[in-house]
Amino acid sequence: QVVADMREKRYAQEGIGSSYLFRVDHDTIIDATKCGNLARFINHCCTPNCYAKVITIEAQKKIVIYSKQPIGVNEEITYDYKFPIEDTKIPCMCRTESCRGTLN
């Protein structure tokens, strides 16, 4: 967590507007900010059509995105980021009927 916090601050200082950090478990956070596949661009939604799950394959943890329903051509893929609750709120832009208003 300490390294992830330092990277977020450094990215802000470097003018990098978004960071792509994904918590795998208590001790591991994957940083796809500068290198990662297209899944790092999946947006948050309060009523998502997918969910993320961490699985272990041959002793390595992997992040897998599963669909919750059929997803149509050109339909956006979304999942709930499940950010921890914090005092400083990040506004949610999903605009669904059951939008919580914030990501955290």
Side-chain angles (χ1 to χ4, degrees):
Q1 184 64 54
V2 173
V3 173
D5 291 341
M6 287 180 0
R7 286 188 182 186
E8 278 189 308
K9 288 177 187 170
R10 186 177 67 215
Y11 294 152
Q13 291 169 348
E14 293 174 358
I16 297 173
S18 297
S19 59
Y20 300 93
L21 303 170
F22 190 103
R23 178 172 295 285
V24 172
D25 58 31
H26 181 69
D27 299 317
T28 307
I29 298 173
I30 294 175
D31 183 359
T33 302
K34 294 186 176 183
C35 181
N37 66 25
L38 291 175
R40 69 185 174 177
F41 300 118
I42 297 174
N43 285 321
H44 163 86
C45 184
C46 294
T47 53
N49 56 16
C50 293
Y51 64 95
K53 183 176 181 180
V54 177
I55 64 171
T56 303
I57 299 175
E58 296 179 7
Q60 285 192 327
K61 292 185 178 181
K62 308 282 185 181
I63 302 165
V64 181
I65 307 297
Y66 292 96
S67 68
K68 297 170 74 174
Q69 62 202 41
I71 299 172
V73 174
N74 296 323
E75 183 179 351
E76 182 177 18
I77 296 172
T78 60
Y79 70 94
D80 186 343
Y81 288 178
K82 297 185 179 180
F83 284 173
I85 297 172
E86 297 178 295
D87 291 335
T88 304
K89 298 298 183 187
I90 302 168
C92 180
M93 306 294 186
C94 77
R95 298 186 182 113
T96 62
E97 281 186 32
S98 57
C99 179
R100 295 187 301 266
T102 66
L103 301 183
N104 56 349

